[in-house]
Amino acid sequence: MYKFDVVVVGGGHAGVEAAHAVYRLGLSCALVTLNKKNIGQMSCNPAIGGLGKSHIVREIGAMGGIMPIATDMSGIQYRTLNTRKGDAVQALRVQCDRDLYKKAIQKTIKETDIKIFDEEVVDLIVDKNQVHGVVTSKQQLKAKKTILTTGTFLNGKMYTGNEINKGGRLGDTSAIPLSKRLYDLKLPMGRLKTGTPARIKLSSIDVSEMEIQPGEKPTPWMSLYNRPKKHQRQTPCYITRTNKKTHKIIEENIHLSAMFSGNISGIGPRYCPSIEDKVSRFRDKDSHQIFIEPEGVNKDLVYPNGISTSLPKKAQEEFIYSIKGLKNSVIEEYGYAVEYDFIDPRSLNINLENKKLKNFYQAGQINGTTGYEEAAAQGLIAGINAAAKILNQKEFVLKRSEAYIGVLVDDLTTHGITEPYRMFTSRAEHRLMLSQNNAEQRLLRKAFKRGLVSEQRYNEFIKNEQKYKNFLTETLSKKKINSFINNKNINIKLDEKKSVLDLLRRTDANKEKVFKTNPSNKHLYQRAITEHKYQGYIKKQLREIKKTEKQENKKIPNNIDYNTIAGLSNEVKEKLKKTQPTTIGSASRMEGVTPAAINLILIQIKKREAFKQNA
Amino acid sequence: MSVVFALATPPAKSAICVFRVSGDGCHSALSKVFSGDVFPPNRFSVETLRYKNKIIDRVGLVVFGAPKSYTGEDSFEIYAHGSLAVMSNIVDVFKELGFEEAPGGEFTKRAFLNDKITLVEAEAVSDLVDSTDDRGVVLSNKTLFGELSSKVVSFGEEIDSLRVGVEAEIDFSDEDNDYFDSSLMLELSSLIERFGLFVGACISKRVGDEKNNIVLVGPVNSGKSSVFNRLLGFERAIVSSLPGTTRDMIGSELFYKSNSFSIFDTAGVRETSDVVEKQGIDISMSEVKNADLVLGVFEKNIPDEIDYFKNMCDEKSFVSVLNKSDLNKKEGVFDCFVSAKTGEGFSELKSIIENRFNSGVKDDGYDFLIKERHENLFYSVLEDLEKAKANLSKKESLELVAEDLKNARSFLDEVVGKKFSDSLLGDIFSSFCIGK
């Protein structure tokens, strides 16, 4: 009676990761999309990674996901950020060729048995709060599990000045009947907005007037496994700036901006303001930075990152012409603000299944996030969990101390969102444990157990881990030295000989000079330095985690009545009622919820259990 | 669960004090402080408590094995002599053993979670766990605590504002902003210095050696015992409306604004034929001789009566208090008007007492009595701030400084409230122009 195990609605970054995860787990999957030529499309700026985000991409990779490889198949400029800081907060950012990225994703999907439907989903098949698939413009697609990843397409509207167009992305339509259906199902919906800048012809720009920003040499890789044989041809980005004249033009036209006209009710992200916003909020700043990012190696188009806008077309032209190097710009597409529906992610369980609608999962921008990486991560988690249910496996949950993806899912389902959510390293309280470079150490074993990565990859990983272990126990702990160079470049004599490993634990030693590396062990030694640098902090965190672990995973029954708990303040009661946290751990992370309140909840749970036993 | 301990009796001088310890593995600590290896449960024994070859006290010990204990966990109780020195020594030993001081209501909570108490009893627990001060800290004066916490809140905010710059530099380093400059080091140093002073002032003289003796005197049934109890914050003297209820001297320790006072309740003075009560009166007269301050408690405005007591104490410092201000008019030459019943006027009375003792002593503005648990938290904050400073001056990578500041701030969660990462980000976005 079911045609598929899983049907995925949407072919964006969340959709393809979800579908591919289902495929890796050996189940049948349908992917329904409005336009199959746009599967894997990067609809905003053509870059993957960045702070907090490359961490997510590597985590996706460690679980067999497809984003990092597509990034490397299309990467045209690589840069590591925060190089002057430590390993945990360094991040790789990759400028991608928009077309090549899409092609890479589509190729990967084509190699699977995922069935693609080039149709619009107009309805869900719902029976007594259970979802059994979708209705498209052409047919019914029955499936055991349904994953909704519709991005900005739900009731999407684009604004340029006073022009309003329906659609989730320029050139695409929006999904209106589906949005209506979700409202009818009484899911907690809200509106969000985001914006995008104009696209300009590269040939019309005078880059000689701009600062050049070359990529990193040697060019690094995003993926840790299954890398392409070689990089694409690398190209630089350019940096220019707005000026007083630009700001004056914007100020004179600001009343015409869609975002200032009152037409848009959705909330925009504070960390991604439009140029109108920046000019009006930070008046003392008379110049803002603009990154000129190429859209592709062979493409005559750039993405001017930093001037997203919903001003009328004429005003856009005027202020762009006022910018250094952009005087003769030929604008291919104008900037716009896009407003779209989202579903309050607090309506989801930690496995991304809807609390009310069974067999129904949501991932990506529909849950109020922004960013390709955040979307892909949720797609992956939703895909794995939908499959897990079918295979009778335990739900797949990553801890906050285990992965940025764990932080992401927990934040969304616990706190909900007040603006489009994007990842930052400061959201992860166990940041020092979560480096972009140790994603495999954190997640690969777990992924292998579930069947998300191949045995061959797992074996190679174990072999490498053994190699590192031997390097520590054999090479570093057996090599004894009687002096070392300290941080002030002074040679210090030791009373008795110490091993290199011992010296790595000293804060005053210049680690780079303690041990002479060769090309075959350089990366092993770097890893040893990093691990020892954070060791004290991490040990402390692990102790803290252990202390609350038992409590952390304790489930809160979904029909708990917070009103009956004496001693909880009304404010906390309201918060808990609204959020309905699923575990004690997530309740304890809510703002305003004190340890005392947690005790009261624990007691209430216990009471109910006792009551049930007696009944 | 982890091992916790608590003083089950008030932290005041008394014949006996009781410590309760509970948690997985607490029994294995017994052989570290008592001689012998085996401690059979449910038997009272007298043992010598010693730690690192130092004898602390001869104490009574009862060991309980899970699940047959109050909490349902392995636990034990110690009955020690009730001097403040013994108490603080035992607390130190427990801490060195790795036990943690139990937050309010912890034992009852554990008892409940382990099915040791019933639902009805559990209802009562909610009040316990939600109160900040249920374990008998002598002054549970809310305004006092509020004052302390507002001070701590402002320190918390200072840490937050340092974090805004540091976290912004980590998460938004590719934006063209300067999030902080050399002033970070200066601000951090200044914060450490001021917070250090604050903590130092909080805990100095917490269990002071000097005795500041206060004696309560007054006519019969003027409510001395009620005033006494109110001052202490818990029931110590038996109170009734019958005249002559207090017959023996009752003494206790009062802590207020980093001072410790010994305070004595006495029998009222009246013509009496009752021999027992007569003795009580004699004791109180001799106690007045040892007093540093005499508190005259009256229920009526009779100048002769006031003069009688004033003369009785010669040149001692004398504070006259009209009790029952909820019933009486606030008239007469009293230093202070209070109501032991409603608590009215007691903050004023306490500060009058404090001023009499501290006249001439400079007020550094940081006079708070803090719990030992808070003291530990504050020390941890200082330690992490120092670490942040060291990492900053060594030019260690910034994420370590951020970690230290985060840890420092998290110790204040209990007093200040948590700072959710999203609100920190909010502060960053409102302070700096972020976003491409």
Side-chain angles (χ1 to χ4, degrees), chain A residues 68-187:
Chain A
I69 297 163
T71 306
D72 281 332
M73 286 169 78
S74 57
I76 52 175
Q77 191 227 32
Y78 289 71
R79 263 188 334 125
T80 301
L81 309 176
N82 268 346
T83 46
R84 278 186 305 177
K85 300 178 194 98
D87 176 77
V89 295
Q90 289 186 12
L92 184 60
R93 187 176 187 279
V94 186
Q95 212 61 53
C96 294
D97 180 306
R98 211 186 277 278
D99 293 334
L100 290 178
Y101 186 89
K102 192 160 83 173
K103 240 166 97 184
I105 292 285
Q106 289 176 10
K107 180 172 166 274
T108 316
I109 295 292
K110 218 171 262 167
E111 287 163 358
T112 69
D113 58 8
I114 297 165
K115 200 142 182 334
I116 292 168
F117 293 86
D118 208 356
E119 296 163 23
E120 181 184 352
V121 170
V122 291
D123 201 0
L124 303 172
I125 307 171
V126 187
D127 180 32
K128 290 190 193 105
N129 284 335
Q130 299 227 356
V131 176
H132 299 286
V134 299
V135 182
T136 75
S137 42
K138 294 182 186 148
Q139 60 187 313
Q140 276 203 350
L141 292 174
K142 284 202 162 184
K144 293 175 191 161
K145 310 283 167 192
T146 302
I147 304 177
L148 196 65
T149 70
T150 48
T152 59
F153 283 72
L154 276 184
N155 203 6
K157 275 184 190 166
M158 294 173 290
Y159 298 82
T160 303
N162 55 6
E163 252 179 70
I164 303 174
N165 290 298
K166 284 182 179 157
R169 177 173 59 211
L170 203 67
D172 283 311
T173 54
S174 72
I176 295 165
L178 185 58
S179 169
K180 201 176 160 304
R181 174 65 168 161
L182 294 173
Y183 272 99
D184 290 346
L185 284 166
K186 299 222 157 28
L187 295 175

Side-chain angles (χ1 to χ4, degrees), chain B residues 187-202:
Chain B
E187 282 168 34
L188 185 57
S189 303
S190 144
L191 176 63
I192 289 170
E193 198 185 319
R194 282 175 294 117
F195 193 68
L197 271 176
F198 165 74
V199 177
C202 277

Side-chain angles (χ1 to χ4, degrees), chain B residues 378-397:
Chain B
F378 292 164
Y379 272 132
S380 306
V381 173
L382 262 185
E383 203 176 294
D384 279 319
L385 289 178
E386 293 279 9
K387 234 162 125 188
K389 189 178 158 188
N391 276 328
L392 197 63
S393 65
K394 276 193 288 183
K395 300 215 162 38
E396 269 288 356
S397 17

Side-chain angles (χ1 to χ4, degrees), chain A residues 82 85-86 241 271 278 285 415 425-427 429 431 533-534 537 541 567 588 591 599 606-607, chain B residues 109 113 123 130 167 169-171 173 176-177 391 397 399 403-404 406 418 420 422-423 435:
Chain A
N82 268 346
K85 300 178 194 98
R241 310 190 66 95
Y271 46 82
K278 288 197 233 180
K285 241 185 146 177
H415 304 295
T425 71
S426 53
R427 294 195 193 273
E429 63 275 32
R431 177 163 67 192
K533 176 172 168 180
Y534 293 146
Y537 287 91
Q541 290 197 349
S588 71
E591 207 161 31
N599 283 341
K606 188 76 191 179
K607 254 162 86 170
Chain B
K109 183 190 103 188
L113 293 179
E123 294 288 357
D130 218 25
E167 291 291 343
E169 173 56 36
I170 289 173
D171 265 341
S173 60
D176 61 338
N177 285 312
N391 276 328
S397 17
E399 74 272 17
E403 193 72 13
D404 296 326
K406 186 189 82 191
K418 248 179 299 188
F420 180 38
D422 210 54
S423 0

Side-chain angles (χ1 to χ4, degrees), chain B residues 275-301:
Chain B
V275 182
V276 183
E277 196 173 317
K278 191 133 200 319
Q279 272 176 0
I281 292 167
D282 286 343
I283 294 170
S284 67
M285 294 308 256
S286 67
E287 209 49 53
V288 167
K289 287 199 180 85
N290 296 326
D292 300 305
L293 183 141
V294 179
L295 211 61
V297 180
F298 305 93
E299 67 168 327
K300 290 190 185 92
N301 180 17

Side-chain angles (χ1 to χ4, degrees), chain A residues 307-323:
Chain A
I307 48 170
S308 95
T309 180
S310 62
L311 284 167
K313 290 176 179 170
K314 204 174 152 286
Q316 289 192 30
E317 284 167 7
E318 252 185 82
F319 88 74
I320 287 173
Y321 297 157
S322 75
I323 296 165

Side-chain angles (χ1 to χ4, degrees), chain A residues 331-383:
Chain A
I331 296 173
E332 280 271 300
E333 288 169 14
Y334 289 87
Y336 57 89
V338 56
E339 197 189 25
Y340 55 97
D341 285 346
F342 79 102
I343 306 177
D344 185 344
R346 288 176 292 183
S347 61
L348 301 177
N349 283 314
I350 193 102
N351 65 352
L352 297 183
E353 185 180 13
N354 196 290
K355 286 177 183 168
K356 225 171 85 182
L357 287 177
K358 294 289 154 222
N359 305 325
F360 184 66
Y361 298 72
Q362 297 157 217
Q365 216 158 351
I366 188 169
N367 290 336
T369 60
T370 72
Y372 311 136
E373 303 83 354
E374 288 85 346
Q378 293 170 66
L380 176 68
I381 297 297

